[in-house]
Amino acid sequence: MADEQSQVPDGTAVRVALWRAMHVQVDSPPHVIEDEIGLQLAAPEEGWRRRPDMDPRGTSPFRAAIVARARFIEDLVVEQAGHGVAQYVVLGAGLDTFAQRRPDIAARLRVFEIDQPATQAWKRQRLIELGYGIPDWLRLVPVDFEAGGDWWRQLSDAGFDPGRPAVVVCAGVTMYLTKDANAATLRRLAGLSPGSTLAMTFMLPTDLVDDADRPALEATKPQAQAAGTPFISFYTPQEMLALARDAGFEDAHHVPGAALAARYFAERSDGLRPSSGEDLLVATT
């Protein structure tokens, strides 16, 4: 269905959603996160699990990395909601399903999902078709980034209150943007109300990726290029921390992918472990 409707959302967003569903369908419990709603949204063709990029064994490290970051972000949002933060912003939301999976938490927040207009129109239609609807506390914010859309203004127009703390998440986005664009985003977010938290993923340079994971990472680069979404920006942890502090974040720290592996996969007996190559920046105002 995604390919039939003007090819929205993009293939990367669909792949992430399908990997999250595969974690439930093919990996042994306990599951790091349980999310098959993205699969419902994407409604892929029959036989989707036979796609080369869905090979259960070959893609298991990527699948584990995707569910690890999703769980980390969800834990962070739940924690901050418990501290009274009432706004949650997802930059490059794609097929994010937090609002549908965790209405117990999401209904206490105002959730803003930002993405391209075609993706947002498609997602709105699918949520209605599947019976989830669009509750008042969920705001799908369409921003035409390619035409220079002002996401901050459109976020405010959608009801975001810059005078109140927020959790802002940007996962799987920075590698597709220039370093200037990422720096500009960080400068904007550093102006959030005190008590706000940012979680942002970033890709490591090849020489910092574990030897075992390096060939697979290198193989994905030409695939991303061919799909029209080339990897542009890579950061060492020190570079990302410096970028955040230069942008105005006084408190910024690095969360390595290995820490997520230790937190969410340590007791597994099936050998499922996340690949290296993507780490997180967590910064607060």
Side-chain angles (χ1 to χ4, degrees):
M1 177 173 291
D3 290 338
E4 293 173 358
Q5 297 185 19
S6 303
Q7 297 187 347
V8 294
D10 66 36
T12 300
V14 171
R15 185 179 304 112
V16 167
L18 298 186
W19 277 344
R20 285 165 62 146
M22 282 192 70
H23 176 56
V24 178
Q25 295 181 1
V26 308
D27 295 328
S28 301
H31 297 123
V32 176
I33 196 167
E34 296 191 1
D35 181 10
E36 294 182 278
I37 295 177
L39 171 61
Q40 296 175 34
L41 288 169
E45 294 181 358
E46 186 176 351
W48 63 271
R49 279 175 47 174
R50 294 193 296 271
R51 288 169 33 171
D53 61 346
M54 293 294 127
D55 176 69
R57 183 180 298 274
T59 65
S60 66
F62 298 115
R63 184 168 70 247
I66 289 297
V67 298
R69 82 181 186 195
R71 174 63 183 274
F72 176 84
I73 288 168
E74 189 157 311
D75 287 350
L76 176 66
V77 174
V78 171
E79 175 190 49
Q80 292 302 306
H83 294 160
V85 175
Q87 300 185 108
Y88 175 32
V89 180
V90 190
L91 293 173
L95 275 70
D96 187 271
T97 62
F98 175 78
Q100 291 76 47
R101 290 181 299 101
R102 297 298 306 272
D104 56 318
I105 302 296
R108 293 157 43 193
L109 307 168
R110 182 161 287 182
V111 181
F112 301 88
E113 297 187 5
I114 299 177
D115 215 315
Q116 296 282 0
T119 298
Q120 297 296 63
W122 174 89
K123 188 172 185 181
R124 179 179 297 275
Q125 178 181 340
R126 291 295 294 143
L127 287 172
I128 292 170
E129 290 172 350
L130 291 169
Y132 292 105
I134 314 293
D136 182 64
W137 44 262
L138 174 60
R139 307 294 171 89
L140 303 183
V141 185
V143 179
D144 191 344
F145 296 101
E146 295 177 1
D150 185 344
W151 65 270
W152 183 256
R153 180 183 62 77
Q154 290 171 257
L155 179 62
S156 296
D157 290 347
F160 179 78
D161 184 351
R164 300 176 64 194
V167 180
V168 180
V169 167
C170 181
V173 175
T174 59
M175 71 281 279
Y176 301 118
L177 304 178
T178 66
K179 291 195 171 184
D180 286 345
N182 287 324
T185 298
L186 283 167
R187 287 194 296 272
R188 172 65 76 181
L189 294 173
L192 288 166
S193 176
S196 298
T197 303
L198 166 68
M200 175 180 279
T201 66
F202 60 96
M203 285 190 72
L204 300 172
T206 303
D207 60 341
L208 294 185
V209 177
D210 292 349
D211 291 345
D213 298 327
R214 202 170 294 162
L217 174 62
E218 288 300 305
T220 64
K221 291 180 180 178
Q223 295 169 6
Q225 179 79 36
T229 53
F231 297 155
I232 297 173
S233 296
F234 301 83
Y235 299 90
T236 67
Q238 294 77 17
E239 288 171 338
M240 181 54 75
L241 288 172
L243 194 66
R245 289 166 181 151
D246 289 346
F249 284 100
E250 294 185 4
D251 183 3
H253 65 276
H254 164 229
V255 180
L260 302 190
R263 181 181 301 187
Y264 300 121
F265 295 83
E267 303 301 321
R268 296 192 68 91
S269 60
D270 59 1
L272 183 67
R273 299 281 290 183
S275 61
S276 59
E278 183 179 69
D279 287 1
L280 283 118
L281 165 75
V282 176
T284 57
T285 57

